[in-house]
Amino acid sequence: MAPGTPSVVCSGLDIVYSVFGAKQNGTDTGGELPLVERLLTRRNPVSTVRKVHAVKDVSFVVNHGEAVGIIGRNGSGKSTLLRAVAGLIPPTNGRVWAAGRPSLLGVNAVLLTGLTGAKNVMIGGLALGLTPRQVRERYDDIVDFSGIGDFVDLPMSAYSSGMGARLRFAISTAAAPDILMIDEALATGDAEFQARSRDRMAEIRRGASTLFLVSHSNAAIRESCERVLWMDRGRLVMDGPTDEVVRAYEQSHRKAHP
Ligand SMILES: Nc1ncnc2c1ncn2[C@@H]1O[C@H](COP(=O)(O)OP(=O)(O)OP(=O)(O)O)[C@@H](O)[C@H]1O
């Protein structure tokens, strides 16, 4: 885990989703016909498999101790890239290599919403590689940090989305993972929780772990990351120091909407 040595290597990564039951472009003219005519002619849309090329030929190397922001417009492939690096989606082409266990528990974790927060703390802790004893030792800290109070004894299905996100974040950062990945939804926490999250991220970084942060908040990216990957339509269009990349990204908005 020495700072300066590679933590994540992504080489020529392509991710293509297959969407089943979608209308294939060009094969269906039904949409252009008036409703009555469509009903009379019974011309139904052709259901088929549609490919969505969400990440296209992306390559980068991130070293231990780096905090990397991922920015880009809606649908540009940020979350998909993060999930692929976490090993949750197999690459269609290319390779992803990670030193250590990436933890995307931050927000997208599949916790069991039918179970109580308390049970999910145990499950999440075990998933992070902690022993049951370590989870018990850290239990109070995790629950305190999440700030969900007595709700911990209720099923997670009764939580607001912000409460769920806070508990996931608290669990995911309890084990100081080698590679912590945080997706946008973290921003659902209130201002006080966000301030505590930033402190916790700074603490994790001091432990020479690697941080990936997907966010639409350029302020959050500026505050937490020294390097930024800018994604656009699945491609990595810029990779460099935060100031440079965020400035170029903001300028591209101004050009698009002067
Ligand atoms: N499970 C999925 N199945 C099919 N297509 C998907 C799936 N998830 C994402 N996509 C598509 O992949 C593309 C990239 O989506 P992704 O969620 O990675 O973008 P994003 O940059 O994180 O977007 P946002 O900023 O809106 O969260 C989009 O076209 C999206 O519709």
PDB file of all heavy atoms in Angstrom, residues 104-126:
ATOM      1  N   LEU A 104     -17.243  -0.460  -2.965  1.00  0.00           N
ATOM      2  CA  LEU A 104     -18.243   0.475  -3.492  1.00  0.00           C
ATOM      3  C   LEU A 104     -19.456   0.451  -2.579  1.00  0.00           C
ATOM      4  O   LEU A 104     -20.553   0.778  -2.946  1.00  0.00           O
ATOM      5  CB  LEU A 104     -18.617   0.110  -4.927  1.00  0.00           C
ATOM      6  CG  LEU A 104     -19.547   1.069  -5.661  1.00  0.00           C
ATOM      7  CD1 LEU A 104     -18.911   2.428  -5.817  1.00  0.00           C
ATOM      8  CD2 LEU A 104     -19.935   0.546  -7.009  1.00  0.00           C
ATOM      9  N   LEU A 105     -19.208  -0.019  -1.365  1.00  0.00           N
ATOM     10  CA  LEU A 105     -20.326  -0.112  -0.430  1.00  0.00           C
ATOM     11  C   LEU A 105     -20.910   1.272  -0.189  1.00  0.00           C
ATOM     12  O   LEU A 105     -22.051   1.406   0.171  1.00  0.00           O
ATOM     13  CB  LEU A 105     -19.837  -0.704   0.881  1.00  0.00           C
ATOM     14  CG  LEU A 105     -20.883  -1.349   1.748  1.00  0.00           C
ATOM     15  CD1 LEU A 105     -21.505  -2.505   1.015  1.00  0.00           C
ATOM     16  CD2 LEU A 105     -20.285  -1.783   3.049  1.00  0.00           C
ATOM     17  N   GLY A 106     -20.060   2.282  -0.417  1.00  0.00           N
ATOM     18  CA  GLY A 106     -20.442   3.657  -0.128  1.00  0.00           C
ATOM     19  C   GLY A 106     -21.915   3.942  -0.361  1.00  0.00           C
ATOM     20  O   GLY A 106     -22.619   4.316   0.558  1.00  0.00           O
ATOM     21  N   VAL A 107     -22.386   3.705  -1.556  1.00  0.00           N
ATOM     22  CA  VAL A 107     -23.768   4.050  -1.804  1.00  0.00           C
ATOM     23  C   VAL A 107     -24.530   2.961  -2.526  1.00  0.00           C
ATOM     24  O   VAL A 107     -25.670   2.674  -2.223  1.00  0.00           O
ATOM     25  CB  VAL A 107     -23.852   5.342  -2.630  1.00  0.00           C
ATOM     26  CG1 VAL A 107     -25.297   5.695  -2.868  1.00  0.00           C
ATOM     27  CG2 VAL A 107     -23.151   6.459  -1.908  1.00  0.00           C
ATOM     28  N   ASN A 108     -23.851   2.307  -3.455  1.00  0.00           N
ATOM     29  CA  ASN A 108     -24.573   1.362  -4.291  1.00  0.00           C
ATOM     30  C   ASN A 108     -24.667  -0.023  -3.680  1.00  0.00           C
ATOM     31  O   ASN A 108     -25.153  -0.942  -4.307  1.00  0.00           O
ATOM     32  CB  ASN A 108     -23.894   1.248  -5.656  1.00  0.00           C
ATOM     33  CG  ASN A 108     -24.115   2.496  -6.464  1.00  0.00           C
ATOM     34  OD1 ASN A 108     -25.039   3.246  -6.174  1.00  0.00           O
ATOM     35  ND2 ASN A 108     -23.276   2.738  -7.440  1.00  0.00           N
ATOM     36  N   ALA A 109     -24.181  -0.153  -2.477  1.00  0.00           N
ATOM     37  CA  ALA A 109     -24.138  -1.477  -1.873  1.00  0.00           C
ATOM     38  C   ALA A 109     -25.512  -2.114  -1.836  1.00  0.00           C
ATOM     39  O   ALA A 109     -26.511  -1.451  -1.616  1.00  0.00           O
ATOM     40  CB  ALA A 109     -23.637  -1.353  -0.456  1.00  0.00           C
ATOM     41  N   VAL A 110     -25.514  -3.386  -2.068  1.00  0.00           N
ATOM     42  CA  VAL A 110     -26.786  -4.092  -2.005  1.00  0.00           C
ATOM     43  C   VAL A 110     -26.965  -4.562  -0.565  1.00  0.00           C
ATOM     44  O   VAL A 110     -26.653  -5.690  -0.235  1.00  0.00           O
ATOM     45  CB  VAL A 110     -26.799  -5.291  -2.963  1.00  0.00           C
ATOM     46  CG1 VAL A 110     -28.190  -5.885  -3.042  1.00  0.00           C
ATOM     47  CG2 VAL A 110     -26.339  -4.863  -4.327  1.00  0.00           C
ATOM     48  N   LEU A 111     -27.391  -3.675   0.272  1.00  0.00           N
ATOM     49  CA  LEU A 111     -27.734  -4.113   1.619  1.00  0.00           C
ATOM     50  C   LEU A 111     -29.153  -4.675   1.551  1.00  0.00           C
ATOM     51  O   LEU A 111     -29.882  -4.432   0.601  1.00  0.00           O
ATOM     52  CB  LEU A 111     -27.639  -2.944   2.600  1.00  0.00           C
ATOM     53  CG  LEU A 111     -26.208  -2.416   2.822  1.00  0.00           C
ATOM     54  CD1 LEU A 111     -26.211  -1.275   3.818  1.00  0.00           C
ATOM     55  CD2 LEU A 111     -25.263  -3.506   3.283  1.00  0.00           C
ATOM     56  N   LEU A 112     -29.515  -5.420   2.574  1.00  0.00           N
ATOM     57  CA  LEU A 112     -30.806  -6.106   2.524  1.00  0.00           C
ATOM     58  C   LEU A 112     -31.854  -5.243   3.214  1.00  0.00           C
ATOM     59  O   LEU A 112     -31.871  -5.126   4.437  1.00  0.00           O
ATOM     60  CB  LEU A 112     -30.690  -7.476   3.191  1.00  0.00           C
ATOM     61  CG  LEU A 112     -29.635  -8.372   2.534  1.00  0.00           C
ATOM     62  CD1 LEU A 112     -29.351  -9.601   3.369  1.00  0.00           C
ATOM     63  CD2 LEU A 112     -30.089  -8.764   1.133  1.00  0.00           C
ATOM     64  N   THR A 113     -32.691  -4.621   2.412  1.00  0.00           N
ATOM     65  CA  THR A 113     -33.591  -3.610   2.968  1.00  0.00           C
ATOM     66  C   THR A 113     -34.672  -4.209   3.869  1.00  0.00           C
ATOM     67  O   THR A 113     -35.273  -3.493   4.654  1.00  0.00           O
ATOM     68  CB  THR A 113     -34.267  -2.798   1.846  1.00  0.00           C
ATOM     69  OG1 THR A 113     -34.861  -3.715   0.941  1.00  0.00           O
ATOM     70  CG2 THR A 113     -33.272  -1.923   1.119  1.00  0.00           C
ATOM     71  N   GLY A 114     -34.885  -5.524   3.755  1.00  0.00           N
ATOM     72  CA  GLY A 114     -35.882  -6.147   4.626  1.00  0.00           C
ATOM     73  C   GLY A 114     -35.335  -6.360   6.032  1.00  0.00           C
ATOM     74  O   GLY A 114     -36.091  -6.619   6.973  1.00  0.00           O
ATOM     75  N   LEU A 115     -34.013  -6.254   6.188  1.00  0.00           N
ATOM     76  CA  LEU A 115     -33.402  -6.470   7.505  1.00  0.00           C
ATOM     77  C   LEU A 115     -33.139  -5.134   8.197  1.00  0.00           C
ATOM     78  O   LEU A 115     -33.064  -4.097   7.548  1.00  0.00           O
ATOM     79  CB  LEU A 115     -32.077  -7.233   7.357  1.00  0.00           C
ATOM     80  CG  LEU A 115     -32.171  -8.644   6.776  1.00  0.00           C
ATOM     81  CD1 LEU A 115     -30.787  -9.281   6.758  1.00  0.00           C
ATOM     82  CD2 LEU A 115     -33.133  -9.504   7.583  1.00  0.00           C
ATOM     83  N   THR A 116     -32.955  -5.211   9.507  1.00  0.00           N
ATOM     84  CA  THR A 116     -32.706  -3.976  10.260  1.00  0.00           C
ATOM     85  C   THR A 116     -31.335  -3.400   9.913  1.00  0.00           C
ATOM     86  O   THR A 116     -30.448  -4.106   9.416  1.00  0.00           O
ATOM     87  CB  THR A 116     -32.706  -4.263  11.774  1.00  0.00           C
ATOM     88  OG1 THR A 116     -31.641  -5.185  12.048  1.00  0.00           O
ATOM     89  CG2 THR A 116     -34.027  -4.831  12.246  1.00  0.00           C
ATOM     90  N   GLY A 117     -31.166  -2.122  10.240  1.00  0.00           N
ATOM     91  CA  GLY A 117     -29.868  -1.475  10.063  1.00  0.00           C
ATOM     92  C   GLY A 117     -28.795  -2.250  10.817  1.00  0.00           C
ATOM     93  O   GLY A 117     -27.687  -2.459  10.317  1.00  0.00           O
ATOM     94  N   ALA A 118     -29.134  -2.694  12.036  1.00  0.00           N
ATOM     95  CA  ALA A 118     -28.161  -3.398  12.878  1.00  0.00           C
ATOM     96  C   ALA A 118     -27.637  -4.653  12.162  1.00  0.00           C
ATOM     97  O   ALA A 118     -26.427  -4.919  12.141  1.00  0.00           O
ATOM     98  CB  ALA A 118     -28.810  -3.777  14.202  1.00  0.00           C
ATOM     99  N   LYS A 119     -28.567  -5.417  11.571  1.00  0.00           N
ATOM    100  CA  LYS A 119     -28.139  -6.641  10.872  1.00  0.00           C
ATOM    101  C   LYS A 119     -27.296  -6.279   9.647  1.00  0.00           C
ATOM    102  O   LYS A 119     -26.335  -6.966   9.310  1.00  0.00           O
ATOM    103  CB  LYS A 119     -29.351  -7.472  10.459  1.00  0.00           C
ATOM    104  CG  LYS A 119     -30.075  -8.082  11.638  1.00  0.00           C
ATOM    105  CD  LYS A 119     -30.629  -9.465  11.294  1.00  0.00           C
ATOM    106  CE  LYS A 119     -31.015 -10.258  12.526  1.00  0.00           C
ATOM    107  NZ  LYS A 119     -32.193  -9.710  13.220  1.00  0.00           N
ATOM    108  N   ASN A 120     -27.681  -5.189   8.994  1.00  0.00           N
ATOM    109  CA  ASN A 120     -26.919  -4.782   7.811  1.00  0.00           C
ATOM    110  C   ASN A 120     -25.513  -4.305   8.173  1.00  0.00           C
ATOM    111  O   ASN A 120     -24.588  -4.438   7.381  1.00  0.00           O
ATOM    112  CB  ASN A 120     -27.679  -3.702   7.038  1.00  0.00           C
ATOM    113  CG  ASN A 120     -28.685  -4.315   6.078  1.00  0.00           C
ATOM    114  OD1 ASN A 120     -28.299  -5.074   5.188  1.00  0.00           O
ATOM    115  ND2 ASN A 120     -29.958  -4.028   6.270  1.00  0.00           N
ATOM    116  N   VAL A 121     -25.375  -3.748   9.365  1.00  0.00           N
ATOM    117  CA  VAL A 121     -24.031  -3.349   9.803  1.00  0.00           C
ATOM    118  C   VAL A 121     -23.154  -4.601   9.863  1.00  0.00           C
ATOM    119  O   VAL A 121     -22.008  -4.613   9.386  1.00  0.00           O
ATOM    120  CB  VAL A 121     -24.072  -2.655  11.186  1.00  0.00           C
ATOM    121  CG1 VAL A 121     -22.659  -2.485  11.743  1.00  0.00           C
ATOM    122  CG2 VAL A 121     -24.755  -1.296  11.070  1.00  0.00           C
ATOM    123  N   MET A 122     -23.723  -5.663  10.419  1.00  0.00           N
ATOM    124  CA  MET A 122     -22.946  -6.915  10.530  1.00  0.00           C
ATOM    125  C   MET A 122     -22.633  -7.484   9.138  1.00  0.00           C
ATOM    126  O   MET A 122     -21.484  -7.796   8.820  1.00  0.00           O
ATOM    127  CB  MET A 122     -23.740  -7.931  11.370  1.00  0.00           C
ATOM    128  CG  MET A 122     -23.068  -9.264  11.561  1.00  0.00           C
ATOM    129  SD  MET A 122     -21.403  -9.166  12.293  1.00  0.00           S
ATOM    130  CE  MET A 122     -21.769  -8.968  14.041  1.00  0.00           C
ATOM    131  N   ILE A 123     -23.661  -7.529   8.278  1.00  0.00           N
ATOM    132  CA  ILE A 123     -23.464  -8.096   6.934  1.00  0.00           C
ATOM    133  C   ILE A 123     -22.438  -7.267   6.152  1.00  0.00           C
ATOM    134  O   ILE A 123     -21.506  -7.799   5.549  1.00  0.00           O
ATOM    135  CB  ILE A 123     -24.803  -8.114   6.159  1.00  0.00           C
ATOM    136  CG1 ILE A 123     -25.760  -9.106   6.815  1.00  0.00           C
ATOM    137  CG2 ILE A 123     -24.589  -8.477   4.696  1.00  0.00           C
ATOM    138  CD1 ILE A 123     -27.192  -8.958   6.325  1.00  0.00           C
ATOM    139  N   GLY A 124     -22.620  -5.950   6.198  1.00  0.00           N
ATOM    140  CA  GLY A 124     -21.716  -5.060   5.461  1.00  0.00           C
ATOM    141  C   GLY A 124     -20.294  -5.165   5.981  1.00  0.00           C
ATOM    142  O   GLY A 124     -19.330  -5.196   5.209  1.00  0.00           O
ATOM    143  N   GLY A 125     -20.167  -5.235   7.307  1.00  0.00           N
ATOM    144  CA  GLY A 125     -18.833  -5.345   7.914  1.00  0.00           C
ATOM    145  C   GLY A 125     -18.142  -6.632   7.486  1.00  0.00           C
ATOM    146  O   GLY A 125     -16.956  -6.633   7.117  1.00  0.00           O
ATOM    147  N   LEU A 126     -18.902  -7.730   7.484  1.00  0.00           N
ATOM    148  CA  LEU A 126     -18.322  -9.022   7.061  1.00  0.00           C
ATOM    149  C   LEU A 126     -17.932  -8.956   5.584  1.00  0.00           C
ATOM    150  O   LEU A 126     -16.885  -9.464   5.175  1.00  0.00           O
ATOM    151  CB  LEU A 126     -19.312 -10.170   7.300  1.00  0.00           C
ATOM    152  CG  LEU A 126     -19.672 -10.459   8.763  1.00  0.00           C
ATOM    153  CD1 LEU A 126     -20.738 -11.540   8.846  1.00  0.00           C
ATOM    154  CD2 LEU A 126     -18.451 -10.862   9.578  1.00  0.00           C
TER     155      LEU A 126
END
